[in-house]
Amino acid sequence: MPGQKSDRVLNLCRALGATVYLSGALGANYLEVEKFEAEGIRVVFQDYHFPTYPQLYPPFLPNLSM
């Protein structure tokens, strides 16, 4: 797919007929949202907050796995 960074994503959205693009939070650092909006594609940025849960020993450490 031709283009670099933001333009490449936009070209993919156009090709697929997208009306909404869900981006990771860091996409805000490089996506040119105004280009998407001009094409009628709404950009939504992920805003995920990790839940806290009981752990055996405090303090709570996020992003742990077994």
Side-chain angles (χ1 to χ4, degrees), residues 53 55 61-66:
Y53 47 86
Q55 292 179 348
L61 298 174
N63 306 316
L64 288 181
S65 66
M66 292 180 67

Side-chain angles (χ1 to χ4, degrees), residues 22-26 45-53 62-63:
L22 175 61
S23 174
L26 296 179
F45 292 99
Q46 182 182 31
D47 185 25
Y48 182 76
H49 299 277
F50 293 98
T52 57
Y53 47 86
N63 306 316

Side-chain angles (χ1 to χ4, degrees), residues 34-54:
E34 62 282 351
K35 288 184 178 182
F36 285 77
E37 291 172 348
E39 295 286 332
I41 302 169
R42 184 169 61 102
V43 178
V44 178
F45 292 99
Q46 182 182 31
D47 185 25
Y48 182 76
H49 299 277
F50 293 98
T52 57
Y53 47 86

Side-chain angles (χ1 to χ4, degrees), residues 2-12 14 32 35:
Q4 296 291 321
K5 295 184 181 184
S6 188
D7 289 332
R8 180 171 288 189
V9 175
L10 179 56
N11 289 335
L12 285 167
R14 278 189 201 125
E32 298 174 72
K35 288 184 178 182

